[in-house]
Amino acid sequence: MSKTRILLFILFFGGIARAQEVVLNNTLSDTTQKKQGPNLKVFRQVWVQTSFFTPYENNSLQKFPASYHVGFGYRVKYKLNKTFSWGWGLSYQYNHHRLNSFLIFPSYNLRNVTKQKFLQRQLAGELYYRTNFGKRGNIIGRFVDVGIAGGWNIGNTFRYVLDEKDRQGNKIGETTINTRKTGKTLPYYYGLTGRIGINRIALTGELRLSRIFKTSENLPELSPLRVGLQLAI
Amino acid sequence: MRGFTGLRVIIAFFLLLFSVAPLFAGGYLVYLKDKGRQNFEPKNFFHPNSLQKKAVVGLNPADVQEWPVNAGYLQSLSAYSDSVIGESRWLNAVLLYSSDSSGIAKLSFVKSIERISGKGLDAEPAEKNGISADIENLWLAKLQTGVMEDSVFHAKGINGKGIRIAVFDAGFRNANQFEGLSHLFRNGQVEQSIDFPARNKNVYNNHFHGTAVLTCMAGRWGDENTGLATGATFLLARTEYSGREPLREEFFWLMGAEWADQHGADIISSSLGYAQQRYFYRDMDGKKSIVSKAAGYAVRHGITVVNSAGNEGTNNWKYLITPADNDSVIAVGGLDPESGFVINFSSLGPGSAGQLKPNVIAAGKVFAGKGNGWGVIHGTSFSCPLVSGFIACMMSHDTLLKHRPMRLMQRLHESAHLFPYFDYAHGYGIPKASRFLQDPLPGQELHAAPEASNFRISIRNNESPTGSSMRRITTEVFLPNLKKSLPAGWFPLLYLSAYDERGRMLNYQVCRLAEDETGKETEMVFKVPDETNSIRFHYQGTTLNKSITAR
């Protein structure tokens, strides 16, 4: 056995023989006031949400509530006083517009179309102002948020699902066609946001004020209003 | 057209947002200028024990503060309110919900009106987990009372007889039918009950939490007592919704304290508490919350208030809950009966104003009844009644303590197994009957075992590595082997706390010692904060102070 091994052996077993097991060790500097927390100076949270597009104009264009939205994001809140806060957030959004059976966009001459969808992925930012209600401790409590949001449409897809039929007209399968980068959509969007919440759960709504499609395309607009539920983690 | 419709939708959306805002409107605490004219006769209002207590503490029972809130004022207020939740004679205030607060403010007898909160927040009894039935029950039932040396009290026939304990909880489901508490009801030891939320006297519905608490004070499982105060008299009050309204619950706690005072309670045992739903840690100064103020009033009226420290040790809150933060309240932390030191979820001290909390600890994992059977249950909720039972025994042995809460608190501290050592997890430790009585039975130990006095420690080296905020202390320790005097499964523990030059505690630690580290000279190394000026060590009943040369 080399000297090094002997030394390691002594250090290892010698250490065990002498070492007491510390089962509790608290340092009181932990009691210093924190600045970050649900009702402290700064609060950060991650959230997920799902919501449904609601009938608006051109209701016959879309299927409700099959048109939905899912998203997740990150939010920061800065406390101004007991009642008011402001904050900003970043999020990823996915809008799924389920369309009715007649062809809308783009005007391909397709037959046997059974489903049409317009799918949109967005990266968004938000500025919001929060009003809290009631006395509370270091919890989020009850609140109403109003804000403005905007972002980039990073992906736009027209999706068609067609039945494949044999010569007798019997269905033998399905084909999905995805059309991207059509140049028909605006690259950005903006709108208003609102939330009513208690602690980590919020009823959320967003109203898009911008158009989806370029004016020059002369395409009908889809529902700009969605309401849903947001869960903060 | 689209713009017009869009505008309508926007307006509707924001109208919706703001139309729900009034739903969040809260209640009002209405303070009254006076109590009007009343024919108040203390002898008809207070229990004789309460009158005796007031005489001892020097309070005039006919003082206007003791009068009930004026009935005529209450009637006038009810005309302006949606619902009157309750009234407090100590605060001379009424809690109510109203949609006409300006009308109330104009009433001639109203001093001030304070909007305090809304509905929907949350508070829970300080119970950790659910009940899990079974096994090791006998071991646990014996240990939860045995660590406080119940046999020493019982050998002297001390069981809390003559002491009146008010128990505040979320309900006492089936307590009146539960065989583990049948002796109390058979002997008429449950003298009063009140359900503040339901405004009746039936407390035997709702939550089982209070039933489990009661069994930890005075329950019987076969031949085994699961609490120490089997001879005491009980006043049961439901002050808590098992649901979600801490504002009302705090006010009910205040009303409960006044009710306990009226009915001559010697002890208020409360396994309830409020933390981050309504407060910040900085509010845990013993003065901010309604319940903390109420507890302070109760102590001033000669009532000893015992409260769970809370189960926040492992969550973000971490520290004690209110009213355990009041420095006149005995805050009880939880002991892990399997290891002999603090149970992990037990809330820690200090209070935000530096209060030394918790005061003592008792088993935080107990064998208790829940009204339809027995089982193992966790929480400082159950440490609290164990200590309340111990205090009832103290009072029935030394009746002068009945009316002197602060003197009793001091005696309780001195009776605890770590005293004079203190840390913010264990307080002064587990109360011991032999220490209180100073008269142990043969074979029982008083203070430390004689061999423990051989405990010695010398500091051999003291270094602060460059760049480190910790100081490395090398010691030579002789720890007598006292394992044989410990409950099965427990290891000898070495406690140490580090203090700065101003005497403020910086750090505290507990070290579990292996068998081969006791009974001989051992080298031990401790890491403490660099500002450490002295270290206090405690081992098996002996406390030693060592100074450290500052760098």
Side-chain angles (χ1 to χ4, degrees):
Chain A
M1 193 181 283
S2 70
K3 284 181 181 175
T4 312
R5 285 182 179 181
I6 291 168
L7 188 62
L8 282 173
F9 181 86
I10 290 169
L11 280 175
F12 183 65
F13 289 99
I16 284 181
R18 288 206 309 265
Q20 67 278 13
E21 184 190 359
V22 178
V23 290
L24 180 73
N25 188 346
N26 282 337
T27 297
L28 267 73
S29 56
D30 293 345
T31 58
T32 51
Q33 294 294 313
K34 294 176 185 172
K35 288 187 177 171
Q36 295 198 19
N39 190 20
L40 299 178
K41 205 167 184 179
V42 181
F43 182 52
R44 296 178 169 86
Q45 64 183 165
V46 175
W47 52 263
V48 292
Q49 76 174 26
T50 182
S51 55
F52 296 95
F53 288 97
T54 59
Y56 190 73
E57 290 176 338
N58 301 320
N59 291 342
S60 56
L61 278 179
Q62 278 178 267
K63 288 185 176 177
F64 303 104
S67 297
Y68 63 88
H69 155 98
V70 290
F72 61 89
Y74 171 77
R75 185 158 55 227
V76 182
K77 174 175 76 84
Y78 302 97
K79 185 175 174 178
L80 297 172
N81 56 37
K82 285 178 185 173
T83 307
F84 301 112
S85 320
W86 74 276
W88 57 269
L90 295 171
S91 60
Y92 172 84
Q93 321 254 2
Y94 172 76
N95 299 325
H96 182 112
H97 295 276
R98 178 80 190 274
L99 308 177
N100 273 319
S101 56
F102 49 87
L103 282 172
I104 304 166
F105 353 79
S107 53
Y108 294 141
N109 185 16
L110 297 170
R111 287 182 300 173
N112 302 329
V113 172
T114 56
K115 288 178 189 169
Q116 293 180 82
K117 297 169 184 176
F118 175 65
L119 314 174
Q120 196 168 40
R121 289 176 290 123
Q122 298 167 323
L123 281 179
E126 183 197 17
L127 277 174
Y128 68 94
Y129 194 76
R130 173 167 295 185
T131 307
N132 268 100
F133 299 90
K135 176 174 165 60
R136 66 201 187 282
N138 192 18
I139 58 168
I140 298 167
R142 288 157 292 179
F143 62 88
V144 171
D145 287 350
V146 290
I148 52 171
W152 289 267
N153 298 320
I154 56 171
N156 300 287
T157 304
F158 296 99
R159 177 172 293 170
Y160 305 90
V161 180
L162 296 84
D163 277 354
E164 290 175 22
K165 295 184 177 176
D166 61 14
R167 289 185 179 181
Q168 285 74 40
N170 301 317
K171 181 178 174 182
I172 54 171
E174 280 187 349
T175 299
T176 301
I177 299 172
N178 288 323
T179 307
R180 301 187 179 94
K181 295 182 181 173
T182 60
K184 296 176 184 298
T185 55
L186 290 170
Y188 59 86
Y189 89 99
Y190 56 85
L192 299 173
T193 59
R195 284 181 291 275
I196 307 164
I198 296 176
N199 294 331
R200 296 186 181 274
I201 298 173
L203 181 66
T204 176
E206 181 165 329
L207 180 70
R208 177 173 47 77
L209 297 176
S210 59
R211 299 183 62 86
I212 293 179
F213 305 110
K214 291 175 181 171
T215 316
S216 57
E217 298 297 327
N218 205 23
L219 288 169
E221 274 297 313
L222 301 176
S223 172
L225 181 65
R226 55 181 168 78
V227 292
L229 208 60
Q230 188 174 97
L231 178 69
I233 300 165
Chain B
M1 184 64 191
R2 182 188 181 279
F4 178 67
T5 312
L7 187 64
R8 277 194 309 185
V9 171
I10 293 166
I11 292 167
F13 182 71
F14 287 102
L15 277 178
L16 171 71
L17 284 182
F18 287 105
S19 65
V20 298
L23 296 178
F24 296 139
Y28 296 92
L29 189 57
V30 181
Y31 290 93
L32 308 179
K33 285 178 182 167
D34 55 55
K35 290 185 175 175
R37 289 188 177 185
Q38 295 188 41
N39 292 321
F40 181 69
E41 182 50 65
K43 282 181 185 171
N44 297 336
F45 188 78
F46 291 112
H47 186 276
N49 194 47
S50 180
L51 291 171
Q52 191 186 352
K53 206 175 277 295
K54 290 182 200 323
V56 172
V57 299
L59 285 177
N60 177 4
D63 189 276
V64 74
Q65 194 195 25
E66 306 296 340
W67 297 10
V69 173
N70 186 287
Y73 294 171
L74 272 176
Q75 200 173 2
S76 303
L77 283 171
S78 62
Y80 288 88
S81 68
D82 303 329
S83 62
V84 174
I85 308 306
E87 68 276 357
S88 163
R89 59 188 168 91
W90 287 345
L91 296 182
N92 195 23
V94 180
L95 178 66
L96 49 78
Y97 285 99
S98 173
S99 49
D100 187 9
S101 58
S102 56
I104 291 173
K106 287 174 189 163
L107 291 170
S108 61
F109 56 83
V110 170
K111 182 181 173 188
S112 63
I113 179 166
E114 184 184 339
R115 185 174 173 175
I116 36 183
S117 179
K119 302 176 180 179
L121 296 179
D122 187 47
E124 291 296 329
E127 171 202 340
K128 181 65 181 174
N129 295 317
I131 281 184
S132 62
D134 106 270
I135 55 179
E136 300 173 1
N137 297 339
L138 182 60
W139 172 81
L140 192 54
K142 281 181 180 294
L143 193 76
Q144 69 197 40
T145 53
V147 291
M148 297 193 291
E149 301 174 341
D150 61 327
S151 60
V152 177
F153 278 137
H154 292 164
K156 292 184 175 295
I158 301 169
N159 62 0
K161 192 171 182 182
I163 305 305
R164 301 168 68 79
I165 308 177
V167 188
F168 297 174
D169 219 295
F172 301 83
R173 192 167 69 207
N174 291 335
N176 54 344
Q177 294 162 21
F178 184 50
E179 45 84 25
L181 295 169
S182 59
H183 55 288
L184 299 183
F185 290 89
R186 202 170 47 242
N187 301 333
Q189 288 172 251
V190 178
E191 195 177 274
Q192 296 278 346
S193 61
I194 189 164
D195 183 332
F196 286 101
R199 298 169 186 245
N200 62 39
K201 293 190 172 184
N202 182 11
V203 295
Y204 305 115
N205 298 318
N206 301 298
H207 212 285
F208 68 84
H209 189 266
T211 308
V213 162
L214 200 52
T215 59
C216 291
M217 225 175 308
R220 250 182 223 157
W221 180 56
D223 296 331
E224 209 59 50
N225 288 336
T226 52
L228 275 71
T230 50
T233 300
F234 293 93
L235 314 167
L236 308 182
R238 179 173 172 247
T239 63
E240 176 121 336
Y241 289 111
S242 38
R244 316 174 61 80
E245 278 203 54
L247 165 66
R248 288 191 191 203
E249 288 166 348
E250 285 200 55
F251 203 79
F252 289 146
W253 202 105
L254 166 64
M255 292 170 74
E258 293 178 3
W259 175 81
D261 171 52
Q262 183 186 355
H263 291 90
D266 298 302
I267 301 169
I268 290 173
S269 182
S270 157
S271 295
L272 305 168
Y274 306 90
Q276 63 186 353
Q277 293 295 342
R278 275 174 62 75
Y279 300 107
F280 296 93
Y281 171 65
R282 64 173 177 262
D283 297 328
M284 297 295 109
D285 61 358
K287 295 170 187 166
K288 292 260 182 357
S289 72
I290 293 173
V291 276
S292 195
K293 287 175 188 166
Y297 281 124
V299 173
R300 263 175 262 158
H301 281 72
I303 303 172
T304 295
V305 181
V306 190
N307 206 90
S308 314
N311 299 326
E312 317 298 321
T314 46
N315 66 30
N316 285 339
W317 183 265
K318 190 174 171 182
Y319 299 106
L320 73 160
I321 55 180
T322 188
D325 60 329
N326 188 301
D327 58 8
S328 304
V329 170
I330 294 167
V332 185
L335 169 81
D336 183 349
E338 280 155 11
S339 66
F341 58 94
V342 68
I343 202 158
N344 64 341
F345 56 76
S346 182
S347 287
L348 304 174
S352 63
Q355 309 98 297
L356 299 182
K357 297 284 176 179
N359 298 78
V360 289
I361 56 167
K365 176 186 175 185
V366 298
F367 184 62
K370 58 172 181 171
N372 58 1
W374 290 87
V376 177
I377 187 166
H378 299 73
T380 57
S381 282
F382 312 104
S383 318
C384 170
L386 286 166
V387 169
S388 297
F390 186 93
I391 289 170
C393 292
M394 290 172 73
M395 287 179 173
S396 68
H397 177 73
D398 182 352
T399 52
L400 289 177
L401 296 176
K402 275 176 66 172
H403 313 305
R404 294 180 171 84
M406 301 315 291
R407 173 74 189 126
L408 181 135
M409 183 189 278
Q410 180 60 28
R411 290 287 302 278
L412 182 72
H413 291 165
E414 290 165 5
S415 306
H417 83 297
L418 297 177
F419 185 86
Y421 181 89
F422 172 91
D423 72 32
Y424 291 118
H426 303 86
Y428 291 100
I430 309 161
K432 299 279 184 185
S434 64
R435 281 189 155 223
F436 169 67
L437 294 171
Q438 295 285 305
D439 184 20
L441 291 174
Q444 296 279 348
E445 292 164 1
L446 178 61
H447 297 283
E451 315 91 87
S453 59
N454 295 328
F455 166 48
R456 52 184 187 273
I457 190 161
S458 56
I459 293 170
R460 230 175 46 192
N461 199 9
N462 158 27
E463 54 189 0
S464 294
T466 310
S468 169
S469 61
M470 301 301 279
R471 182 176 287 243
R472 186 182 156 93
I473 309 289
T474 307
T475 62
E476 193 72 50
V477 185
F478 178 77
L479 299 159
N481 188 345
L482 301 170
K483 190 172 189 317
K484 61 182 185 299
S485 63
L486 296 173
W490 288 24
F491 284 85
L493 300 172
L494 176 66
Y495 297 79
L496 68 130
S497 46
Y499 296 82
D500 68 9
E501 59 186 356
R502 291 199 287 170
R504 290 182 310 184
M505 193 188 294
L506 300 169
N507 169 274
Y508 55 96
Q509 301 178 28
V510 178
C511 303
R512 181 160 54 192
L513 306 168
E515 193 85 53
D516 62 357
E517 288 173 314
T518 59
K520 62 180 184 187
E521 293 282 345
T522 314
E523 182 189 275
M524 286 189 173
V525 177
F526 304 100
K527 285 182 180 171
V528 293
D530 201 27
E531 309 82 46
T532 299
N533 184 262
S534 66
I535 302 180
R536 182 173 280 197
F537 295 91
H538 180 95
Y539 178 73
Q540 299 284 82
T542 300
T543 302
L544 300 174
N545 287 310
K546 294 288 168 188
S547 292
I548 305 292
T549 312
R551 185 169 59 170

